[in-house]
Every structure is written in structure tokens, then in C-alpha cells.
Amino acid sequence: MQVINTIAGIKELKRNLKGTVGFVPTMGYLHAGHIALVKQAKAENDISAVSIFVNPTQFGPKEDFKTYPRDINRDLAMLEPYTDIVFIPADKEMYPAGYNTWVEVNEITDVLEGAVRPGHFKGVTTVVNKLFNIVQPDKAYFGQKDAQQAAVIKKMARDLNMPLEVVVCPTIREPDGLAMSSRNTYLTPEMRKGAPVLYQSLQKAKAMIEAGEKTVADIRREMTSMIIKETLATIEYISFADNETLKEIHTIKPPVLISMAVKFGKTRLIDNIVIK
Ligand code: AMP
């Protein structure tokens, strides 16, 4: 495994490499969800590359950029068995003085996470575009956990004719159903106990739909009543949207993306399922 901190270093390395590259962009503080992406990248390509970069431009001014958990040594130990190249640039390497170019996907970034986190996806698409240009992968791997991000990246790649395939991998969960996330470390033990309610409410929605329920308002009401029983939880949104356009729907018509953001104190958890 080669650890590289500069863009010139990656370019140099790539000049001497043969074979297909599978790439997994991350913000580090890795968990089994990230590792599943890396394993798939390794299985489907000759070379696996991972980036670790807590991208400042995708955090809002009141968000957790400064406190985002970081532990590079632990990350490297986790990556070692599955990874050929790790790219860990400094902020200045990615955004040198005078940096002033942005990549933006319109419309599907206005809803859901984009509505609550203005500018977030502009930061994501810009950094992912830069990382794609630096690493030049054949395939890039993203998690369904961040469903809107995956949809936005797919759209960017398609709209800009990027010469790579975007692969979306399933959400990896804790045994109690909580979607794995670097931010789960922010949860107090009491919050952690309540956090599986996100997935439980999604499973409830799935069961209602399978039983023939079609009215979104009724399903949302059931989910809401489940979640508010957890006194530490505050619902930010529960969305039922067309899985392609991300436009809100009122009557179930698959494929439906059911997604939510729920806050436990200052910690924002997101989760989703797709009803096929
Ligand atoms: P992050 O480090 O949070 O930016 O995540 C890097 C990549 O890992 C993104 O494509 C995420 O969607 C993906 N990811 C994060 N958590 C999970 C999870 N629990 N299961 C699958 N993929 C995940």
C-alpha cells in the first residue's frame, strides 16, 4: 500500500501503473461501510485507490468541519489489506490560494440534504470532480447510505461525459440496524440506544407498502409517531421521492426512495431505503 500526499505524486505513480483502477473517495474515520466499498473496488479492478480528505467546501459555516473525527493511523491499518493507493492531500493541495472553480449539479441538489445544507453538494461535486481528475479511475464507488450524493455524482458523471463508471454499493449497518457512519461516534450512549429507530421506521414503511398501503401521508404519520417516541430524537425530514428525479410523491409508485434526517442533540443522522 502506497500512501501519497500530493497530486504530483499520484500522477507520477499512475504513469507507471498498468490495469484498471477502482476508486473510493472518503472523509476518513473509516468503518465497515467504507471497507465494503474498498473490497468491492479491489474485487472489480486491478488496483484499488482510496482518498481520505475532509473536504472543507462541503461543510456549512455552522457544521462540524473542525470537529469531524479524524484518525489517519487507524484508517491506514484498516485499509492495508485491501488497498493499493491511499491519497491523503492537505487542504492547500486541493484548494491552493486563489482557487476559484466550482462544479454544480442543478435541481436534484435543491431538495432533501441540499435544501437543509445549502452549498453542500457544490462542495461535494467539486471535490469529487477534482479527485476523479487526479486519480482517473475506471470505476468509482459510493454508498447508498448517502442516496442523494450517489444520485448527484451519477448525474454529474453522465452530464459531463466523465470516462468512468459510478457504482453504488448497499448500506452497511450495525447489528441493530443503525447505518454505519463516522458521525455515530458523536452519539451519547442514550442517543446510540435510540438511533436504530431510523431504520426501524423505514422497515415499518416497507411493511406498510408491502401490505398495500399507498398513501404517503399515512405512512409518514406512522413513522413519525415511532420516531418521536424516542425522546432524544428530532425529525428534520421524512421524504418519499421518485428514486430517479428525487421529486416528492404523495402516492406510492415504485421505485420510491424513502429517506430521512433525524437529529439526536447536535448529531444529524441520515438513512434511507429504496422500495423497488
Ligand atoms: P464519507 O467518509 O462519510 O464521506 O463516506 C465515504 C463513502 O462511504 C461515501 O460514498 C458514503 O456513501 C460511503 N458510506 C458511508 N457510510 C456507509 C455505510 N454505512 N454503508 C455503505 N457505504 C457507506
Side-chain angles (χ1 to χ4, degrees):
M1 184 170 78
Q2 300 215 46
V3 181
I4 293 176
N5 300 109
T6 63
I7 295 163
I10 293 285
K11 296 226 158 125
E12 174 64 28
L13 183 68
K14 280 220 65 190
R15 258 195 292 279
N16 304 315
L17 277 182
K18 281 206 185 77
T20 59
V21 175
F23 176 48
V24 183
T26 82
M27 299 205 299
Y29 212 74
L30 304 177
H31 50 66
H34 297 110
I35 299 303
L37 305 192
V38 180
K39 281 187 183 167
Q40 193 166 335
K42 181 74 183 158
E44 295 181 356
N45 299 276
D46 301 316
I47 295 152
S48 63
V50 175
S51 63
I52 300 175
F53 181 60
V54 184
N55 174 36
T57 65
Q58 72 188 66
F59 288 79
K62 293 196 179 131
E63 292 183 1
D64 55 344
F65 173 66
K66 288 226 167 77
T67 54
Y68 195 84
R70 292 161 167 92
D71 189 341
I72 290 290
N73 290 332
R74 180 171 157 278
D75 289 347
L76 291 178
M78 287 175 77
L79 290 175
E80 175 79 54
Y82 317 104
T83 316
D84 301 301
I85 304 170
V86 188
F87 179 46
I88 314 178
D91 293 3
K92 285 245 152 59
E93 182 74 4
M94 294 297 277
Y95 300 108
Y99 184 87
N100 212 356
T101 301
W102 303 94
V103 178
E104 244 179 307
V105 173
N106 290 339
E107 213 165 304
I108 62 165
T109 55
D110 293 339
V111 296
L112 303 172
E113 290 299 285
V116 187
R117 306 181 67 189
H120 168 67
F121 285 116
K122 180 178 167 188
V124 169
T125 43
T126 298
V127 81
V128 169
N129 199 328
K130 284 172 68 69
L131 290 166
F132 283 177
N133 285 337
I134 295 162
V135 176
Q136 301 192 357
D138 297 278
K139 291 186 179 185
Y141 296 80
F142 293 85
Q144 175 64 25
K145 158 83 186 348
D146 300 280
Q148 189 178 13
Q149 170 173 280
V152 169
I153 301 289
K154 275 194 152 177
K155 179 125 184 67
M156 173 181 78
R158 196 164 56 231
D159 285 354
L160 294 180
N161 313 104
M162 293 182 167
L164 54 84
E165 185 187 336
V166 175
V167 182
V168 182
C169 309
T171 302
I172 304 298
R173 300 177 178 282
E174 301 285 358
D176 62 8
L178 176 64
M180 290 194 178
S181 165
S182 310
R183 288 189 170 100
N184 290 350
T185 61
Y186 296 148
L187 298 170
T188 64
E190 280 123 315
M191 293 171 181
R192 175 64 189 81
K193 225 180 270 168
V197 77
L198 277 79
Y199 188 55
Q200 287 159 7
S201 73
L202 289 166
Q203 292 302 109
K204 172 77 188 177
K206 184 167 183 256
M208 287 177 78
I209 292 166
E210 281 168 359
E213 182 59 67
K214 291 227 176 315
T215 309
V216 163
D218 292 345
I219 306 170
R220 185 184 277 117
R221 194 175 315 112
E222 278 293 320
M223 296 171 79
T224 303
S225 84
M226 257 180 105
I227 296 169
I228 60 175
K229 285 201 186 97
E230 288 298 334
T231 49
L232 297 173
T234 314
I235 299 169
E236 212 170 66
Y237 65 78
I238 299 174
S239 156
F240 290 69
D242 179 283
N243 191 40
E244 278 280 308
T245 62
L246 304 189
K247 291 216 164 82
E248 287 296 309
I249 57 166
H250 302 286
T251 305
I252 298 297
K253 187 169 160 279
V256 181
L257 173 68
I258 312 178
S259 64
M260 56 172 60
V262 175
K263 282 183 107 169
F264 283 78
K266 284 190 185 143
T267 303
R268 238 179 133 255
L269 301 181
I270 59 171
D271 202 351
N272 70 83
I273 56 169
V274 177
I275 307 288
K276 293 256 162 69

